[in-house]
């Protein structure tokens, strides 16, 4: 964000954010591949600005207005979110829509293996992650004013159509496993079961902020993909992430001794979630994990395409993430066959 844009943001905040006082400085976070995110500091405190990226964008992508709406709706629920302060949909201010929220102090955990933590600390954080996920799916969408936040009908049928279209629009080369996975998912769509909840859409540990001195979640971030849909999508997304290699790129748990580390098995995490939500079991869970791999592959393909088009928040990281698309497609097929 250049000085002219920063001055424009300061002028806008002076008019729309109660209690704001300049001058204003900004620092871009390394996270936020999809929507560039900045920490703003001023005499009146710290804020966070999240904006659409510049350039030509895929239809329905980077919906910062939806992020703002859902987090504001969750303000008085059991789901921890930052305080939403103001939304700007006037592209003439800085060239794209953005919103401003309170800065929430806390620690971001980028690696679910938590190498610096003790087994007891890991277990407590994973239990909190499970609790917050159940809380998201227990939100009364009518009371929160979110009943129209997603269309009715079979969630997975809609999502398969949407993400296949997004993937094709950003496709840069043929990925045979992705084509096979799309075909398999289309032939194995689960029947509509009536479950309709708020869905985060990208629920994982690095999209959460935790207390500095304990496992309490202070905020769930990055609601760009949220909608009203099927809750198993979020749960399968967590399990999907854990199948990836550990480390800064994969950010998974594959191959680790989870018992020794104090980390739950996939089965234990799912069982705890079911207990929190009063479910006996989840049948056909392989479909949901396969779908999670498919959707993430489509998302990463979009990141790769934005990097090639010069619209990525971090072009080098976009290229690295895009290289995972064939691997995600292959893992999706493995989950489908499990």
């Amino acid at each position: 964000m250049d000085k002219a844009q920063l001055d424009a943001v300061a002028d806008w905040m002076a008019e729309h954010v109660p209690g704001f006082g300049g001058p204003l400085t900004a620092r871009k976070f390394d996270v936020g591949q999809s929507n560039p995110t900045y920490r703003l500091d001023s005499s009146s405190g710290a804020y966070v600005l999240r904006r659409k990226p510049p350039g030509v964008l895929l239809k329905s992508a980077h919906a910062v207005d939806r992020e703002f709406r859902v987090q504001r709706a969750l303000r008085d629920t059991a789901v921890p979110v930052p305080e939403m302060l103001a939304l700007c949909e006037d592209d003439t201010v800085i060239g794209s829509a953005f919103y401003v929220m309170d800065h929430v102090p806390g620690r971001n955990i980028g690696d679910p293996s938590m190498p610096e933590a003790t087994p007891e600390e890991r277990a407590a954080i994973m239990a909190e992650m499970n609790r917050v996920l159940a809380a998201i799916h227990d939100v009364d969408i009518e009371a929160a004013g979110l009943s129209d936040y997603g269309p009715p009908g079979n969630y997975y049928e809609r999502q398969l159509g949407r993400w296949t279209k997004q993937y094709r629009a950003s496709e840069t080369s043929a990925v045979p496993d992705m084509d096979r996975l799309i075909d398999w998912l289309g032939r194995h769509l689960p029947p509509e079961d009536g479950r309709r909840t708020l869905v985060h859409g990208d629920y994982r540990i690095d999209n959460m902020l935790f207390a500095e001195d304990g496992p309490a979640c202070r905020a769930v971030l990055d609601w760009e993909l949220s909608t009203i849909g099927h809750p198993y999508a979020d749960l399968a997304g967590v399990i999907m992430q854990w199948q990836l290699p550990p480390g800064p790129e994969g950010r998974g748990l594959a191959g680790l001794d989870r018992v020794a580390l104090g980390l739950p098995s996939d089965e234990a995490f799912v069982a705890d979630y079911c207990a929190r939500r009063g479910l006996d079991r989840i049948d056909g869970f392989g479909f949901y994990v396969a779908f999670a791999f498919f959707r993430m592959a489509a998302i990463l393909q979009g990141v790769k395409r934005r990097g090639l088009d010069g619209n990525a928040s971090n072009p080098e990281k976009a290229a690295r993430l895009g290289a995972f698309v064939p691997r995600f497609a292959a893992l999706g097929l493995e989950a489908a066959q499990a």
Side-chain angles (χ1 to χ4, degrees):
M1 189 181 301
D2 59 31
K3 184 178 184 305
Q5 290 178 322
L6 192 59
D7 289 344
V9 169
D11 291 343
W12 182 87
M13 288 180 66
E15 184 177 350
H16 295 90
V17 178
F20 171 75
L24 191 64
T25 61
R27 176 175 61 84
K28 188 174 181 294
F29 289 109
D30 290 334
V31 296
Q33 270 299 302
S34 182
N35 291 326
T37 308
Y38 301 82
R39 171 171 172 153
L40 306 178
D41 288 285
S42 74
S43 60
S44 55
Y47 308 89
V48 171
L49 181 148
R50 194 158 158 86
R51 65 175 294 185
K52 282 189 176 186
V56 178
L57 305 175
L58 293 174
K59 184 180 179 181
S60 80
H62 315 283
V64 295
D65 56 327
R66 286 177 61 82
E67 284 192 342
F68 182 86
R69 177 189 172 186
V70 70
Q71 289 176 94
R72 171 163 280 186
L74 293 173
R75 178 173 49 191
D76 297 322
T77 70
V79 182
V81 290
E83 180 73 17
M84 296 293 105
L85 299 176
L87 169 68
C88 177
E89 298 181 275
D90 181 357
D91 290 351
T92 66
V93 178
I94 60 171
S96 63
F98 66 90
Y99 67 88
V100 176
M101 57 186 169
D102 267 345
H103 174 264
V104 177
R107 54 184 172 134
N108 181 247
I109 299 174
D111 184 344
S113 70
M114 296 174 269
E116 305 302 321
T118 66
E120 294 75 19
E121 290 169 339
R122 294 186 188 101
I125 287 172
M126 286 299 185
E128 176 72 347
M129 187 178 179
N130 195 292
R131 181 195 70 80
V132 173
L133 180 59
I136 291 173
H137 298 157
D138 283 339
V139 167
D140 185 331
I141 58 177
E142 294 283 348
L146 293 172
S147 58
D148 64 342
Y149 192 62
N154 190 303
Y155 171 78
Y156 287 102
E157 185 176 16
R158 294 198 323 267
Q159 287 284 296
L160 180 61
R162 173 192 174 185
W163 287 107
T164 298
K165 185 176 180 180
Q166 297 275 50
Y167 173 74
R168 297 303 184 197
S170 59
E171 197 171 11
T172 52
S173 61
V175 180
D177 279 348
M178 191 65 166
D179 295 333
R180 285 191 283 270
L181 181 56
I182 291 170
D183 177 69
W184 185 91
L185 290 168
R187 289 185 289 106
H188 293 84
L189 286 167
E192 177 61 65
D193 62 4
R195 299 185 190 278
R196 193 168 186 265
T197 71
L198 178 63
V199 174
H200 179 273
D202 197 15
Y203 190 78
R204 57 181 196 247
I205 200 167
D206 52 303
N207 277 335
M208 306 173 74
L209 288 176
F210 295 88
E212 296 286 359
D213 57 354
C217 177
R218 296 296 187 220
V220 180
L221 307 173
D222 198 354
W223 291 84
E224 180 194 348
L225 299 175
S226 62
T227 188
I228 302 301
H230 200 285
Y232 298 167
D234 280 340
L235 180 62
V238 174
I239 302 305
M240 173 209 72
Q241 184 73 38
W242 293 352
Q243 312 313 304
L244 300 176
E249 292 295 337
R251 294 177 295 178
L253 301 176
L256 298 181
D257 186 343
R258 296 200 208 174
V259 173
L261 292 172
L263 296 167
S265 66
D266 296 347
E267 295 79 8
F269 192 86
V270 172
D272 285 350
Y273 171 87
C274 288
R276 292 181 191 278
R277 302 207 64 236
L279 305 172
D280 292 331
R281 55 179 290 168
I282 299 175
D283 294 321
F285 197 64
F287 170 89
Y288 304 111
V289 177
F291 179 84
F293 274 115
F294 152 73
R295 197 186 65 150
M296 186 54 67
I299 291 169
L300 294 179
Q301 183 63 42
V303 171
K304 178 180 180 179
R305 183 58 181 264
R306 287 197 302 277
L308 293 174
D309 291 344
N311 295 330
S313 177
N314 184 328
E316 292 183 5
K317 188 173 183 179
R320 292 199 306 272
L321 292 175
F324 276 96
V325 172
R327 179 61 176 153
F328 273 71
L331 287 170
L333 286 174
E334 288 182 19
Q337 296 161 6

